Structure formats: C-alpha cells, structure tokens
Amino acid sequence: MEPTTLSTDRLVLRPFVPSDEDEVYAAAQDPEIQRWTLVPSPYRREDAHAFVNEIGPTGWREGTAFPFAVRLGAEGPLVASVGMHVHGAESYEVGYWAAKEHRGRGYVTEAVLAVARWAFTERGVVRLEWRGEVGNAGSRAVAEKAGFRIEGLLRAGIEQRGTSRDCWVGSLLPSDLGLPARLPYLPAVSGTS
C-alpha cells in the first residue's frame, strides 16, 4: 500500500522515515514505553534504525502494518507513535505510545481518532481493536477517550518478552464515530447469549 499522511488541527501523522531515528530512539528510552509496549527492552540504537528503515516500510509495502509518526505540525517534534496492524480478516489492532514530555495533552487520542477514521473510510476496516496489558491505565484512558468500548479481559491475550499476560480488550466500530460501515452490523439482542 502507498504510505499515507493524515492531519488533524494540531498534528501531522505520516509514515516513519530514516530522519526520525534519533527521536524514536530517545523516546523509547522511557521505562514506561518499554514496560507497557512491545518495543524491545533495552531499546538500542539498532532497534530504532530497524524500525524506521525496515519494519515500518515493510508493513506499509505489504499492507500488514501501518505505523505513523505523530508530529506537532509538519515540522514539529515527534510526540507519539500510533500504529495499526492486521489482526484478523475483518479487524485491525491499534497500538500507541507517547513521548514522555508530550503526555497529557490529548495528542494520542487525537491521533488514534485520525487513524480510526482513515481505517474505516479508506481501508474498509470493520472493527478496530485495542489491547492493553492489565494495569496500563494510561493506554486504557486513551482508548476510552477515543470511544473504544472495553469488552473485557483476555487471559494470556498479550505476549510480551516471552511471557503471556492478561489484557483488556476494546473495540471501535465505524458507527461509534458516526461513519458508514462496509458491512451491516447486527448486534446481539440483550438478554441472549
């Protein structure tokens, strides 16, 4: 797939490029990013190099993952990363981190919503899923602010550094954002299983 650039009132979301390497490396030194996300730990310069030069471009080219560098304006600093990858035939999963010095300003929620709108309108995604390890309150707060409905807890739903961990799972549908869906959705009738 051709790489895509998205924008909001404050942000520009574009595929990572080699010149992002230093900022990615610096942001990923944060112990919270290493603790709660799937980035390597310890995070080395080689990891940042591989991400911006190989992993990201391969995902875009093969249509399996779509990582976005989230910048404050076109020339502003890297404030976050929001990525989406194919999770199943009809659903994609979103993941994200925020650079420590840019947290608490709503940038990630704004970026997640931009990616979700793009996924639903341009990619025909039926369901966007979020998973966060139990205890990652910051990630859950972003998901809820973006409109994800928390559906429950998945036992051993995330593998991190060779360990299965329980995670929360939530979903966002096109209708949650007032968008038309590619497929009709027939929800379960209350009181039935």
Side-chain angles (χ1 to χ4, degrees):
M1 165 165 199
E2 265 317 294
T4 299
T5 297
L6 309 172
S7 61
T8 69
D9 289 342
R10 302 184 295 173
L11 306 171
V12 171
L13 291 73
R14 60 155 174 75
F16 283 92
V17 295
S19 61
D20 295 326
E21 182 177 325
D22 289 341
E23 287 176 287
V24 168
Y25 174 74
Q29 296 310 300
D30 178 5
E32 292 296 304
I33 290 175
Q34 291 185 30
R35 165 63 182 93
W36 295 113
T37 72
L38 301 178
V39 303
S41 180
Y43 196 84
R44 302 163 309 173
R45 170 97 28 211
E46 301 85 56
D47 298 317
H49 181 81
F51 180 69
V52 301
N53 289 286
E54 298 161 22
I55 297 168
T58 298
W60 278 97
R61 186 174 51 256
E62 295 177 356
T64 57
F66 310 97
F68 288 93
V70 180
R71 295 198 165 274
L72 191 55
E75 302 299 321
L78 178 70
V79 298
S81 171
V82 174
M84 186 176 69
H85 70 271
V86 177
H87 184 65
E90 297 297 334
S91 73
Y92 286 44
E93 184 176 334
V94 67
Y96 41 82
W97 53 255
K100 186 176 185 174
E101 63 273 16
H102 298 289
R103 290 184 189 139
R105 299 178 186 153
Y107 298 142
V108 177
T109 302
E110 189 174 322
V112 166
L113 283 167
V115 170
R117 286 186 185 97
W118 171 74
F120 295 140
T121 60
E122 301 299 320
R123 303 279 309 154
V125 171
V126 173
R127 170 188 163 92
L128 188 57
E129 192 169 282
W130 162 84
R131 293 180 184 205
E133 185 180 336
V134 172
N136 189 349
S139 183
R140 182 173 174 153
V142 167
E144 290 178 326
K145 287 176 189 171
F148 283 77
R149 292 187 188 179
I150 306 304
E151 297 172 328
L153 181 135
L154 295 177
R155 295 182 324 141
I158 290 180
E159 181 185 322
Q160 186 179 53
R161 299 182 231 317
T163 303
S164 293
R165 299 169 188 257
D166 294 345
C167 70
W168 294 308
V169 63
S171 69
L172 189 68
L173 304 179
S175 58
D176 296 331
L177 300 180
L179 298 171
R182 181 174 58 81
L183 296 173
Y185 169 51
L186 181 61
V189 178
S190 293
T192 63
S193 47

